[in-house]
Amino acid sequence: FISSDGGDHNPSDRAFTALVIVMLAAMPAWLIFTIGWFLRRGQSVGQYLLCLEITRDEGGVPSNGQVVAYSLALHPLVFHPIMALLWGYASYQSVIHSSLIFLLVGISMGVLCVLAPFASLFFAASDRRRRGIHDRIAGMRVVKVIDAE
């Protein structure tokens, strides 16, 4: 899996399939990591670097359910256009192996991956508080961290 022939031969279908499986498995691993980070710190790694955090719409610490909803509800990092390529390849493989369910799931996820960032951008542009669709669904907002020092 890690070795290479320097490009002398094309990778096998098996190697492509393994790559897609690893990449698609990275999504739930990223979600688990991010949800854990949110529950522990109240912010994602990117929000930590930018001195931002998430709060309830009315203020206060979000509930565990809100954090999970925030992370799963068409979040642009989960439903990224690059992931659409992986879902497209997974759909292609499902056609080869005659799996209608995986074909439908792959196509649906691929379409969501392409449309979710645009939907979030549209919602952020049309909301006076600049909240994305995942912020609205979870009933949360992103605010600047105020240092106590």
Side-chain angles (χ1 to χ4, degrees):
F1 184 71
I2 297 178
S3 67
S4 172
D5 62 3
D8 290 338
H9 298 89
N10 288 331
S12 66
D13 282 346
R14 212 171 181 173
F16 274 121
T17 302
L19 173 68
V20 168
I21 289 170
V22 168
M23 293 298 290
L24 291 179
M27 188 186 318
W30 178 86
L31 280 171
I32 290 168
F33 173 79
T34 301
I35 289 170
W37 194 272
F38 273 129
L39 293 175
R40 183 172 171 89
R41 297 193 57 103
Q43 55 194 170
S44 69
V45 175
Q47 290 170 343
Y48 172 75
L49 293 173
L50 295 173
C51 296
L52 302 171
E53 66 183 357
I54 54 173
T55 65
R56 293 177 182 243
D57 268 341
E58 62 277 350
V61 178
S63 68
N64 293 352
Q66 282 180 302
V67 169
V68 171
Y70 179 82
S71 298
L72 292 175
L74 294 179
H75 198 288
L77 291 177
V78 176
F79 294 96
H80 195 278
I82 291 174
M83 295 300 286
L85 298 173
L86 298 173
W87 285 112
Y89 183 75
S91 298
Y92 166 74
Q93 286 295 320
S94 70
V95 169
I96 291 174
H97 299 293
S98 302
S99 175
L100 181 61
I101 289 280
F102 286 123
L103 174 66
L104 294 175
V105 168
I107 290 172
S108 300
M109 290 299 292
V111 168
L112 278 174
C113 288
V114 170
L115 295 180
F118 295 110
S120 192
L121 181 64
F122 171 77
F123 276 91
S126 64
D127 185 50
R128 63 181 167 81
R129 292 189 287 173
R130 302 288 185 238
R131 294 179 305 156
I133 191 169
H134 55 288
D135 299 317
R136 286 182 174 186
I137 289 172
M140 297 190 338
R141 61 191 168 118
V142 178
V143 296
K144 193 94 169 132
V145 174
I146 300 171
D147 286 333
E149 300 177 79

